[in-house]
Amino acid sequence: MQSRYFTINDFPQGTPGRELFELHEAELSDLAEGEVRIRNTWLSVDPYMRGRMSGVKTYIDPFVIGEPLEGAAVGEVIESRDSRLAVGDKVRHMAGWRDIAQLPGDQVESLPSIEVPEQAYLGVLGMPGMTAWTGLNRIAEMRDGDNVLVSAASGAVGSLAVQLAKAKGGTVVGIAGAPEKLEWLESHGIKAVSYRDRDTQQLTEALKSACPEGFDVYYENVGGVCLEAALNTLRIGGRIAVCGMIARYNAEKPEPGPSNLAMVLIQRLRMQGFIIFDHWDDYPSFLKEVGPRVAKGEIDYEETVEEGLERTPGAFLALFEGANTGKMLVRL
């Protein structure tokens, strides 16, 4: 059986182009003992993958030029030499960016039994959802009545973060750009603030207007002007959970840090970055709390879907143009 997969042909500087990605086809070897073969049905593309295209090890190894790219995927087992996995099982794994995956069974997990569409386990009940929950509950230690600010608030992570925060009863403000994203936030009872065409002072004023008493928690997905404005609007003892800095992922040279970093001292703030892989032992707790609410329709989630393996690079690049609402997915 053959597998089609994408590679990269260089480590790009600045914003990548479509020419970076190459589609290949190769014959798969016979299954070894303990391996499984999976027909992928859904692929995830995520902003963190840009860091893996830089040729530098960070919290995760970089992609290797000429080798199949990796990412979260959902699929169906079509052949198995692992007693824990049977043909027909629906599973999740990290051998994305391809149509047929072959890998050791211990790198594959069966999908939970909650009645939701299978692609939800790549989004609201997958890594993005788990990231939202962890940042609020484990890192920022959100409490009932906290006022919460979320950047990239209509994205895969931010859109769940604002809904989880809203359930705690405080004022929740989401930062977004496109009018339809702002409208989505408002329709869910979230005060929406646009960052577009605003400098730090202008965004600070807009945030203070939306929540004059200030914020207890800031969920950081973006960096740049959003972080500077947030620092100006946090209450004494505020907590910042940092899960992403998408504003700098395609920077060609180091960008200056926040000019108002002294607010961390003045307001006695706590700012902590986190990597979701370090917290995956908490996934059952997250699933127990959030899974039933998703299944009952109590939590809304958006998906932007591209069709076909060939569209995977374009779906990835669109993340940096703000072209997605909610989770960006590729359906095979």
Short mmCIF file of all heavy atoms in Angstrom, two decimals, residues 6-23 50 53 69 97 250 252 310 312-318 320-321:
data_model
loop_
_atom_site.label_atom_id
_atom_site.label_comp_id
_atom_site.label_asym_id
_atom_site.label_seq_id
_atom_site.Cartn_x
_atom_site.Cartn_y
_atom_site.Cartn_z
N PHE A 6 3.44 14.94 3.04
CA PHE A 6 4.12 16.20 2.77
C PHE A 6 5.44 16.28 3.52
O PHE A 6 5.57 15.78 4.65
CB PHE A 6 3.24 17.38 3.20
CG PHE A 6 2.26 17.81 2.14
CD1 PHE A 6 0.93 17.44 2.23
CD2 PHE A 6 2.67 18.58 1.05
CE1 PHE A 6 0.01 17.83 1.25
CE2 PHE A 6 1.77 18.97 0.08
CZ PHE A 6 0.44 18.59 0.18
N THR A 7 6.41 16.92 2.87
CA THR A 7 7.68 17.28 3.50
C THR A 7 7.90 18.78 3.29
O THR A 7 7.18 19.43 2.54
CB THR A 7 8.85 16.51 2.88
OG1 THR A 7 9.03 16.97 1.51
CG2 THR A 7 8.60 15.01 2.87
N ILE A 8 8.94 19.29 3.96
CA ILE A 8 9.42 20.63 3.63
C ILE A 8 10.79 20.49 2.99
O ILE A 8 11.53 19.53 3.25
CB ILE A 8 9.49 21.56 4.86
CG1 ILE A 8 10.32 20.95 6.00
CG2 ILE A 8 8.08 21.90 5.35
CD1 ILE A 8 10.56 21.89 7.17
N ASN A 9 11.16 21.46 2.13
CA ASN A 9 12.43 21.39 1.41
C ASN A 9 13.45 22.41 1.90
O ASN A 9 14.53 22.56 1.32
CB ASN A 9 12.21 21.55 -0.10
CG ASN A 9 11.42 22.81 -0.43
OD1 ASN A 9 11.57 23.84 0.21
ND2 ASN A 9 10.55 22.71 -1.43
N ASP A 10 13.11 23.14 2.96
CA ASP A 10 14.00 24.18 3.48
C ASP A 10 13.51 24.58 4.87
O ASP A 10 12.39 24.23 5.27
CB ASP A 10 14.00 25.39 2.55
CG ASP A 10 15.18 26.32 2.76
OD1 ASP A 10 16.03 26.01 3.64
OD2 ASP A 10 15.27 27.35 2.10
N PHE A 11 14.36 25.30 5.60
CA PHE A 11 13.94 25.94 6.84
C PHE A 11 13.69 27.41 6.53
O PHE A 11 14.63 28.18 6.30
CB PHE A 11 15.02 25.81 7.92
CG PHE A 11 15.24 24.38 8.36
CD1 PHE A 11 16.52 23.85 8.37
CD2 PHE A 11 14.18 23.59 8.77
CE1 PHE A 11 16.74 22.54 8.78
CE2 PHE A 11 14.40 22.27 9.17
CZ PHE A 11 15.67 21.75 9.17
N PRO A 12 12.44 27.85 6.46
CA PRO A 12 12.13 29.18 5.95
C PRO A 12 12.47 30.29 6.94
O PRO A 12 12.46 30.10 8.16
CB PRO A 12 10.61 29.11 5.73
CG PRO A 12 10.13 28.14 6.75
CD PRO A 12 11.22 27.09 6.83
N GLN A 13 12.76 31.45 6.38
CA GLN A 13 12.89 32.68 7.15
C GLN A 13 11.67 33.54 6.86
O GLN A 13 11.28 33.70 5.71
CB GLN A 13 14.17 33.43 6.77
CG GLN A 13 15.45 32.64 7.03
CD GLN A 13 15.70 32.40 8.49
OE1 GLN A 13 15.55 33.31 9.31
NE2 GLN A 13 16.06 31.18 8.84
N GLY A 14 11.07 34.10 7.89
CA GLY A 14 9.87 34.90 7.67
C GLY A 14 8.68 34.01 7.37
O GLY A 14 8.65 32.82 7.69
N THR A 15 7.69 34.58 6.71
CA THR A 15 6.46 33.85 6.42
C THR A 15 6.71 32.80 5.34
O THR A 15 7.18 33.13 4.26
CB THR A 15 5.36 34.82 5.95
OG1 THR A 15 5.16 35.82 6.96
CG2 THR A 15 4.05 34.08 5.72
N PRO A 16 6.39 31.53 5.60
CA PRO A 16 6.62 30.49 4.59
C PRO A 16 5.72 30.68 3.38
O PRO A 16 4.64 31.28 3.46
CB PRO A 16 6.27 29.19 5.32
CG PRO A 16 6.25 29.53 6.77
CD PRO A 16 5.86 30.98 6.85
N GLY A 17 6.15 30.15 2.24
CA GLY A 17 5.34 30.14 1.03
C GLY A 17 4.92 28.72 0.69
O GLY A 17 5.46 27.75 1.22
N ARG A 18 3.96 28.62 -0.23
CA ARG A 18 3.46 27.30 -0.61
C ARG A 18 4.55 26.43 -1.21
O ARG A 18 4.52 25.18 -1.08
CB ARG A 18 2.30 27.47 -1.60
CG ARG A 18 1.72 26.17 -2.15
CD ARG A 18 1.14 25.29 -1.04
NE ARG A 18 0.61 24.03 -1.56
CZ ARG A 18 1.37 22.97 -1.83
NH1 ARG A 18 2.69 23.03 -1.66
NH2 ARG A 18 0.81 21.86 -2.28
N GLU A 19 5.57 27.05 -1.82
CA GLU A 19 6.64 26.28 -2.46
C GLU A 19 7.51 25.52 -1.45
O GLU A 19 8.29 24.64 -1.83
CB GLU A 19 7.52 27.20 -3.30
CG GLU A 19 8.35 28.22 -2.51
CD GLU A 19 7.56 29.46 -2.09
OE1 GLU A 19 6.35 29.54 -2.39
OE2 GLU A 19 8.17 30.35 -1.45
N LEU A 20 7.38 25.83 -0.18
CA LEU A 20 8.14 25.13 0.86
C LEU A 20 7.73 23.66 0.95
O LEU A 20 8.53 22.81 1.32
CB LEU A 20 7.90 25.82 2.21
CG LEU A 20 8.52 25.17 3.44
CD1 LEU A 20 10.03 25.35 3.42
CD2 LEU A 20 7.93 25.77 4.72
N PHE A 21 6.49 23.36 0.61
CA PHE A 21 5.92 22.04 0.86
C PHE A 21 5.93 21.19 -0.40
O PHE A 21 5.58 21.65 -1.48
CB PHE A 21 4.48 22.19 1.36
CG PHE A 21 4.37 23.01 2.63
CD1 PHE A 21 4.18 24.39 2.55
CD2 PHE A 21 4.48 22.41 3.87
CE1 PHE A 21 4.08 25.15 3.71
CE2 PHE A 21 4.39 23.17 5.03
CZ PHE A 21 4.20 24.53 4.95
N GLU A 22 6.31 19.93 -0.25
CA GLU A 22 6.34 19.00 -1.36
C GLU A 22 5.53 17.76 -1.01
O GLU A 22 5.65 17.22 0.10
CB GLU A 22 7.77 18.59 -1.70
CG GLU A 22 8.62 19.75 -2.22
CD GLU A 22 10.02 19.31 -2.60
OE1 GLU A 22 10.37 18.12 -2.34
OE2 GLU A 22 10.78 20.14 -3.14
N LEU A 23 4.73 17.29 -1.98
CA LEU A 23 3.91 16.10 -1.80
C LEU A 23 4.62 14.91 -2.42
O LEU A 23 5.03 14.95 -3.58
CB LEU A 23 2.54 16.30 -2.45
CG LEU A 23 1.53 15.16 -2.30
CD1 LEU A 23 1.20 14.89 -0.84
CD2 LEU A 23 0.26 15.49 -3.09
N ARG A 50 4.89 25.99 13.03
CA ARG A 50 5.83 26.94 12.41
C ARG A 50 7.18 26.88 13.10
O ARG A 50 8.23 26.93 12.43
CB ARG A 50 5.25 28.36 12.46
CG ARG A 50 6.19 29.45 11.93
CD ARG A 50 6.51 29.21 10.46
NE ARG A 50 7.47 30.18 9.93
CZ ARG A 50 8.79 30.04 10.00
NH1 ARG A 50 9.31 28.97 10.58
NH2 ARG A 50 9.59 30.94 9.49
N MET A 53 9.49 24.26 11.90
CA MET A 53 10.03 24.46 10.56
C MET A 53 11.25 25.36 10.56
O MET A 53 11.73 25.75 9.50
CB MET A 53 8.95 25.06 9.65
CG MET A 53 7.77 24.13 9.44
SD MET A 53 6.44 24.91 8.48
CE MET A 53 5.18 23.63 8.57
N LEU A 69 6.17 15.26 7.44
CA LEU A 69 5.78 16.16 8.52
C LEU A 69 4.86 15.43 9.49
O LEU A 69 4.30 14.37 9.18
CB LEU A 69 5.08 17.39 7.96
CG LEU A 69 5.92 18.25 7.01
CD1 LEU A 69 5.09 19.40 6.46
CD2 LEU A 69 7.16 18.79 7.72
N TRP A 97 -0.34 15.00 8.22
CA TRP A 97 0.25 15.48 6.97
C TRP A 97 0.41 14.32 5.96
O TRP A 97 1.27 14.36 5.09
CB TRP A 97 1.60 16.17 7.19
CG TRP A 97 1.52 17.49 7.89
CD1 TRP A 97 1.41 17.69 9.22
CD2 TRP A 97 1.54 18.80 7.29
NE1 TRP A 97 1.37 19.04 9.52
CE2 TRP A 97 1.45 19.74 8.34
CE3 TRP A 97 1.64 19.25 5.98
CZ2 TRP A 97 1.45 21.12 8.12
CZ3 TRP A 97 1.65 20.63 5.75
CH2 TRP A 97 1.55 21.55 6.81
N ASN A 250 6.59 34.35 12.61
CA ASN A 250 7.21 34.54 11.30
C ASN A 250 8.19 35.71 11.27
O ASN A 250 8.60 36.15 10.19
CB ASN A 250 6.13 34.74 10.23
CG ASN A 250 5.35 33.47 9.97
OD1 ASN A 250 5.92 32.38 9.87
ND2 ASN A 250 4.03 33.58 9.88
N GLU A 252 11.47 37.79 11.16
CA GLU A 252 12.76 37.50 10.54
C GLU A 252 13.93 37.94 11.44
O GLU A 252 15.08 37.57 11.19
CB GLU A 252 12.85 38.19 9.18
CG GLU A 252 11.81 37.67 8.20
CD GLU A 252 12.00 38.22 6.80
OE1 GLU A 252 13.16 38.25 6.34
OE2 GLU A 252 11.00 38.61 6.18
N GLU A 310 -4.17 17.59 -0.44
CA GLU A 310 -3.42 18.62 -1.17
C GLU A 310 -3.60 20.01 -0.58
O GLU A 310 -2.78 20.90 -0.80
CB GLU A 310 -3.85 18.63 -2.64
CG GLU A 310 -3.46 17.38 -3.41
CD GLU A 310 -4.42 16.21 -3.19
OE1 GLU A 310 -5.42 16.39 -2.45
OE2 GLU A 310 -4.16 15.13 -3.73
N THR A 312 -3.59 20.77 2.61
CA THR A 312 -3.02 20.90 3.95
C THR A 312 -2.04 22.07 4.08
O THR A 312 -2.14 22.85 5.03
CB THR A 312 -2.33 19.58 4.37
OG1 THR A 312 -3.24 18.49 4.18
CG2 THR A 312 -1.91 19.63 5.82
N PRO A 313 -1.07 22.27 3.17
CA PRO A 313 -0.19 23.43 3.32
C PRO A 313 -0.95 24.76 3.32
O PRO A 313 -0.65 25.65 4.13
CB PRO A 313 0.74 23.32 2.11
CG PRO A 313 0.75 21.87 1.78
CD PRO A 313 -0.65 21.42 2.03
N GLY A 314 -1.92 24.89 2.43
CA GLY A 314 -2.70 26.12 2.38
C GLY A 314 -3.46 26.36 3.66
O GLY A 314 -3.58 27.51 4.13
N ALA A 315 -4.01 25.29 4.24
CA ALA A 315 -4.72 25.42 5.51
C ALA A 315 -3.78 25.90 6.60
O ALA A 315 -4.13 26.77 7.42
CB ALA A 315 -5.35 24.08 5.89
N PHE A 316 -2.57 25.36 6.62
CA PHE A 316 -1.59 25.78 7.61
C PHE A 316 -1.22 27.25 7.44
O PHE A 316 -1.22 28.03 8.40
CB PHE A 316 -0.34 24.90 7.52
CG PHE A 316 0.83 25.41 8.31
CD1 PHE A 316 0.83 25.33 9.69
CD2 PHE A 316 1.91 25.99 7.67
CE1 PHE A 316 1.90 25.81 10.42
CE2 PHE A 316 2.99 26.47 8.39
CZ PHE A 316 2.98 26.38 9.77
N LEU A 317 -0.90 27.66 6.22
CA LEU A 317 -0.49 29.04 5.98
C LEU A 317 -1.61 30.02 6.29
O LEU A 317 -1.35 31.15 6.73
CB LEU A 317 -0.04 29.20 4.53
CG LEU A 317 1.21 28.39 4.14
CD1 LEU A 317 1.48 28.51 2.66
CD2 LEU A 317 2.42 28.86 4.95
N ALA A 318 -2.86 29.60 6.11
CA ALA A 318 -4.00 30.48 6.38
C ALA A 318 -4.11 30.85 7.86
O ALA A 318 -4.71 31.87 8.21
CB ALA A 318 -5.30 29.82 5.91
N PHE A 320 -1.89 32.04 9.70
CA PHE A 320 -1.14 33.27 9.96
C PHE A 320 -1.75 34.48 9.26
O PHE A 320 -1.23 35.59 9.38
CB PHE A 320 0.32 33.05 9.55
CG PHE A 320 0.94 31.90 10.28
CD1 PHE A 320 1.03 30.65 9.69
CD2 PHE A 320 1.38 32.05 11.58
CE1 PHE A 320 1.57 29.57 10.36
CE2 PHE A 320 1.92 30.98 12.28
CZ PHE A 320 2.02 29.74 11.66
N GLU A 321 -2.83 34.24 8.55
CA GLU A 321 -3.60 35.32 7.94
C GLU A 321 -4.91 35.57 8.69
O GLU A 321 -5.71 36.39 8.27
CB GLU A 321 -3.91 34.98 6.48
CG GLU A 321 -2.66 34.75 5.63
CD GLU A 321 -2.99 34.18 4.26
OE1 GLU A 321 -4.19 33.92 4.01
OE2 GLU A 321 -2.07 34.00 3.46
#
